[in-house]
Amino acid sequence: MLLRMDFASETPIYLQIRNQVVQGIASGALQPGERLPTIRALADESGINMMTVNKAYQLLKQEGYIETDRRSGAKVAGGVRLEPGGLAPRSREALRLIASEAKIAGLSEDQFLQLCAKAYTSGEEERP
Amino acid sequence: MLLRMDFASETPIYLQIRNQVVQGIASGALQPGERLPTIRALADESGINMMTVNKAYQLLKQEGYIETDRRSGAKVAGGVRLEPGGLAPRSREALRLIASEAKIAGLSEDQFLQLCAKAYTSGEEERP
Amino acid sequence: MLLRMDFASETPIYLQIRNQVVQGIASGALQPGERLPTIRALADESGINMMTVNKAYQLLKQEGYIETDRRSGAKVAGGVRLEPGGLAPRSREALRLIASEAKIAGLSEDQFLQLCAKAYTSGEEERP
Amino acid sequence: MLLRMDFASETPIYLQIRNQVVQGIASGALQPGERLPTIRALADESGINMMTVNKAYQLLKQEGYIETDRRSGAKVAGGVRLEPGGLAPRSREALRLIASEAKIAGLSEDQFLQLCAKAYTSGEEERP
DNA sequence: GTGGTCTAGACCACG
DNA sequence: GTGGTCTAGACCACC
């Protein structure tokens, strides 16, 4: 599980970390219970400020994706169930917006759902 | 087509405007060729600064959603076809992230696709 | 010689008129001494404001491209020799800027000159 | 790399900044990877408003000439390859117009190409 | 420290 | 009356 930062991107670095961890969990690259690198370690090897990495970990913890143990550091949470409805309201809203863009771009519902299915299955099986 | 701003939101106001216009076009509330309110008009009635509205319009124009006629003002572009693949790379990436979140939240592919379908059809037929 | 306006363009309409007349003269579509349409006529058939057409004609006259006669209207000037150096300073400057863009885009001098030659010969022989 | 503004010019200040940066890159005065002055710094030393400088930087970023690193600031992009054809459509059009002006001014194709070659090589080797 | 965003005014080019 | 541009200040997110 190697993080790749894009310092020229408009999405903040702490969010890039958060997003990559989330996708790592979803893809199976990060297994439940697996230990994440130390804040210091990750900061050093990526050239990122420790404050930034800390912010990302705080966010991931708050969202329930990881758990932090004072002794052993951070590890991937097991059996995460975040929202009762299944998806955070913010993500629902983002999904509605993307659907609107797709509709304007001329995609039919079927075509859009194919893209969605592709997005769902794309991150799978990175560990063969 | 009335815009509702959330000044407490963390998404910038100019993006809120942009997003609502996009969703308005997708839902049919804004028809191709229809004129948008003047920058000044929208600014006045919303209590937003002109520059902010201007920024939103510039973005929408740049993305091809609206066109500004030198004589009159801004109007919804007709027959928008933005990306060859159908969806902007940024939106594809956002979709992949949402799919990851859904997967971790325990949604099966079918459940996720139902959410996507709902997002696609949710904004329809505001004008019966 | 038909003018085509782009009301969504960012170049002012009066400049679009001016530019098309200039290109018309260069291509031979407009011959020296040939009469241009009346301000009113051009305004009517194009849906442009008379003030705008007038502004374009004033500019063309000031630059020496056309001559206006109170009786017969405007006509293309004959044997135009504008700048001693050959090109207006403004156009020289624009050319330098374009050359810079070309250089950054990776074009060699030869490639750039091929583009220039193409631009020079492109507008020719519209009247076979 | 010092910028010189002409406040009396009819070309907007933000475009003057943009153009000078482009010419600076082409001439080699600005090397790929080199850091550009901060928005605030440039605004202060030039007596220009921050927002204006910001607009210029946004444009340069959008055109791919510079990149903004979240950590430090703006720097010249390396290995810029913007348009597949080599030159932006807008610049092609401008070039055609200049060629027309040259033709009317009585310049032969060779004379025009000499001007073009001069424009291409004029900004070179400011750093011996 | 940086850029991103927003405000409240103003002037001008354009049509 | 329209958008385009600019100013002088301010707050905030990010690093």
Side-chain angles (χ1 to χ4, degrees):
Chain A
M1 181 64 191
L2 190 58
L3 299 187
R4 268 174 298 180
M5 296 298 122
D6 177 6
F7 296 107
S9 164
E10 72 175 13
T11 67
I13 295 179
Y14 82 95
L15 264 187
Q16 292 185 40
I17 301 176
R18 179 263 181 194
N19 292 343
Q20 290 188 38
V21 170
V22 168
Q23 290 181 321
I25 298 175
S27 74
L30 289 172
Q31 294 292 336
E34 185 173 344
R35 282 190 54 187
L36 290 168
T38 321
I39 288 182
R40 179 179 301 275
L42 204 159
D44 283 352
E45 77 183 25
S46 308
I48 307 171
N49 194 306
M50 273 179 51
M51 301 278 290
T52 308
V53 181
N54 183 47
K55 193 167 182 174
Y57 276 30
Q58 294 285 2
L59 180 56
L60 284 162
K61 184 170 127 189
Q62 176 194 324
E63 292 180 314
Y65 288 114
I66 68 175
E67 295 165 352
T68 54
D69 186 328
R70 183 146 296 148
R71 296 164 304 178
S72 56
K75 63 187 205 328
V76 178
V80 192
R81 291 294 178 276
L82 301 155
E83 302 291 328
L87 215 49
R90 192 177 304 177
S91 300
R92 277 174 187 275
E93 185 54 32
L95 188 55
R96 287 220 329 246
L97 185 58
I98 294 173
S100 292
E101 292 176 352
K103 206 183 296 186
I104 300 177
L107 269 67
S108 70
E109 183 170 348
D110 278 354
Q111 290 172 315
F112 175 62
L113 290 181
Q114 279 180 16
L115 277 183
C116 294
K118 198 172 149 197
Y120 188 91
T121 51
S122 68
E124 287 182 351
E125 296 178 18
E126 293 196 5
R127 279 189 180 174
Chain B
M1 181 66 193
L2 191 60
L3 301 186
R4 270 172 297 177
M5 298 298 122
D6 177 5
F7 295 100
S9 166
E10 70 176 9
T11 69
I13 296 180
Y14 81 96
L15 265 187
Q16 293 184 38
I17 300 177
R18 179 264 182 196
N19 292 343
Q20 290 189 37
V21 169
V22 168
Q23 291 181 322
I25 298 175
S27 75
L30 288 173
Q31 294 290 335
E34 184 172 344
R35 283 191 54 182
L36 266 60
T38 310
I39 289 184
R40 279 176 177 74
L42 204 157
D44 283 351
E45 77 185 25
S46 309
I48 308 170
N49 188 283
M50 261 181 44
M51 295 289 286
T52 307
V53 180
N54 183 42
K55 190 167 185 176
Y57 275 32
Q58 294 282 8
L59 180 56
L60 285 163
K61 188 165 71 174
Q62 178 194 324
E63 292 181 313
Y65 289 115
I66 69 175
E67 296 168 351
T68 56
D69 189 315
R70 296 193 79 87
R71 296 166 301 179
S72 45
K75 64 188 211 314
V76 179
V80 191
R81 291 293 178 276
L82 301 156
E83 303 290 329
L87 215 50
R90 191 179 303 176
S91 300
R92 274 175 192 275
E93 184 55 33
L95 188 55
R96 290 222 319 252
L97 183 60
I98 294 173
S100 291
E101 291 175 354
K103 208 184 293 187
I104 301 177
L107 270 65
S108 70
E109 182 170 347
D110 279 353
Q111 289 172 313
F112 175 62
L113 290 182
Q114 280 180 15
L115 275 184
C116 293
K118 196 172 149 197
Y120 187 91
T121 50
S122 65
E124 285 183 353
E125 295 181 19
E126 295 195 2
R127 277 189 182 175
Chain C
M1 181 65 192
L2 190 60
L3 299 186
R4 269 173 297 178
M5 297 297 122
D6 178 6
F7 296 107
S9 165
E10 73 175 14
T11 66
I13 295 179
Y14 82 96
L15 264 187
Q16 293 185 39
I17 300 176
R18 179 264 180 195
N19 292 343
Q20 291 189 36
V21 169
V22 168
Q23 290 182 321
I25 298 175
S27 74
L30 289 173
Q31 295 290 335
E34 184 173 344
R35 284 189 54 187
L36 291 169
T38 321
I39 289 183
R40 180 181 300 275
L42 203 158
D44 283 353
E45 77 183 23
S46 308
I48 307 172
N49 193 307
M50 274 178 52
M51 303 276 291
T52 307
V53 181
N54 183 47
K55 193 167 183 174
Y57 276 30
Q58 294 285 4
L59 180 56
L60 284 163
K61 183 170 127 189
Q62 177 194 323
E63 293 181 312
Y65 288 114
I66 67 174
E67 296 165 351
T68 53
D69 184 331
R70 185 147 295 146
R71 295 164 305 178
S72 56
K75 63 187 206 322
V76 179
V80 192
R81 291 293 178 276
L82 300 155
E83 302 289 329
L87 215 51
R90 192 177 302 175
S91 299
R92 278 174 187 276
E93 184 54 34
L95 188 55
R96 288 217 330 245
L97 184 60
I98 294 173
S100 291
E101 292 175 352
K103 208 183 295 186
I104 300 176
L107 270 65
S108 70
E109 183 172 349
D110 278 354
Q111 290 172 314
F112 175 61
L113 290 182
Q114 279 181 16
L115 277 183
C116 293
K118 197 171 148 197
Y120 187 91
T121 51
S122 68
E124 288 181 352
E125 297 178 19
E126 293 196 5
R127 278 189 180 175
Chain D
M1 182 64 192
L2 190 59
L3 301 187
R4 272 174 297 179
M5 297 299 122
D6 176 7
F7 295 100
S9 165
E10 70 176 9
T11 69
I13 295 179
Y14 81 95
L15 264 187
Q16 293 184 38
I17 299 176
R18 180 263 180 197
N19 292 343
Q20 291 190 36
V21 169
V22 168
Q23 291 182 321
I25 297 174
S27 75
L30 289 173
Q31 295 290 336
E34 184 173 344
R35 281 192 55 183
L36 266 59
T38 311
I39 288 183
R40 279 177 176 74
L42 204 158
D44 283 351
E45 76 185 25
S46 308
I48 307 169
N49 190 284
M50 261 182 44
M51 295 289 286
T52 307
V53 180
N54 183 42
K55 192 168 184 176
Y57 276 32
Q58 293 283 8
L59 180 55
L60 284 163
K61 188 165 70 174
Q62 178 194 324
E63 292 181 314
Y65 289 115
I66 69 174
E67 295 169 351
T68 56
D69 188 317
R70 297 193 79 87
R71 296 166 302 178
S72 46
K75 63 187 213 314
V76 179
V80 191
R81 293 292 178 277
L82 301 156
E83 303 290 329
L87 215 51
R90 192 179 303 177
S91 300
R92 276 174 191 275
E93 185 54 33
L95 188 55
R96 288 221 323 252
L97 183 60
I98 294 173
S100 292
E101 291 175 354
K103 206 184 294 185
I104 300 177
L107 270 66
S108 70
E109 181 170 348
D110 279 353
Q111 289 172 314
F112 176 62
L113 291 182
Q114 280 180 16
L115 276 183
C116 293
K118 196 172 149 196
Y120 187 91
T121 51
S122 66
E124 284 182 352
E125 296 180 19
E126 293 195 5
R127 279 190 179 173

